[in-house]
Amino acid sequence: RQTGRFHYAESLAPEVEEERVPRMIVQPLIENAVKHAFENAEHPEIRVTWQREERFMRIIVADNGCGMGPEELRRLNDSLNSSSLLQGKTEEAGVGLPNIHKRLRLRYGEKWGVRIESAPGQGTRVVLELPLQKYALTSEQEKEKQSHA
């Protein structure tokens, strides 16, 4: 476990400065990186990037830590999208990632949430995607819209 210092950098696109995001969706990701990524890193770094796409915002929490192998990465992403997530029973992803993923999906719909990208020795990127405020429908509004289509 990393007990020393790490470098933190944040990049915020001007187009998302006024956007609102649910509470406690980025901090747990930074804590995960500090806890899991930097076992043997010489120059540990965490970078948070806030980007605007056409109708949504992408938040990326990236580290330059040890990364994950393909099998571990697949299990982790699968656990985020499994039915056990909805029942609060995923062990593979711990507590923070499933909580964030579930909250984003409940608030904005199934299209939104968390995706993890990683490779051994290359670090990990946790990508959150959520609609921009002016395009956001709550999951209830989305269901209502689909029932009238």
Side-chain angles (χ1 to χ4, degrees):
R1 178 176 286 184
Q2 176 71 21
T3 57
R5 296 187 179 269
F6 61 91
H7 178 74
Y8 175 84
E10 190 166 25
S11 171
L12 178 66
E15 307 87 42
V16 297
E17 285 181 1
E18 300 300 318
E19 289 292 319
R20 298 182 64 154
V21 298
R23 293 177 186 259
M24 295 298 293
I25 63 167
V26 176
Q27 180 182 335
L29 302 177
I30 295 168
E31 290 172 358
N32 274 357
V34 170
K35 182 177 180 181
H36 299 290
F38 300 131
E39 202 135 315
N40 296 313
E42 285 187 37
H43 304 287
E45 179 176 314
I46 297 171
R47 176 173 299 278
V48 179
T49 307
W50 304 71
Q51 303 171 334
R52 178 186 173 164
E53 299 300 329
E54 186 176 331
R55 296 176 68 105
F56 67 94
M57 177 172 26
R58 181 177 292 131
I59 304 167
I60 303 166
V61 179
D63 65 63
N64 65 343
C66 56
M68 290 178 257
E71 184 59 28
E72 182 181 3
L73 179 63
R74 183 192 59 74
R75 279 195 318 269
L76 189 55
N77 275 312
D78 287 353
S79 73
L80 289 175
N81 295 305
S82 73
S83 60
S84 62
L85 171 67
L86 297 174
Q87 300 161 2
K89 295 185 205 167
T90 178
E91 293 175 18
E92 199 65 46
V95 175
L97 284 170
N99 178 286
I100 294 165
H101 189 63
K102 182 178 179 181
R103 287 175 38 224
L104 291 175
R105 287 193 160 193
L106 287 172
R107 183 168 184 166
Y108 301 115
E110 294 296 310
K111 178 178 177 180
W112 309 102
V114 177
R115 180 179 76 249
I116 303 157
E117 303 167 350
S118 189
Q122 302 296 310
T124 299
R125 288 172 30 116
V126 180
V127 181
L128 309 176
E129 291 182 344
L130 55 152
L132 295 171
Q133 289 175 48
K134 67 181 179 180
Y135 300 111
L137 295 177
T138 65
S139 58
E140 290 302 314
Q141 291 170 319
E142 186 68 33
K143 288 176 191 170
E144 181 72 20
K145 181 180 164 189
Q146 288 175 358
S147 70
H148 288 78

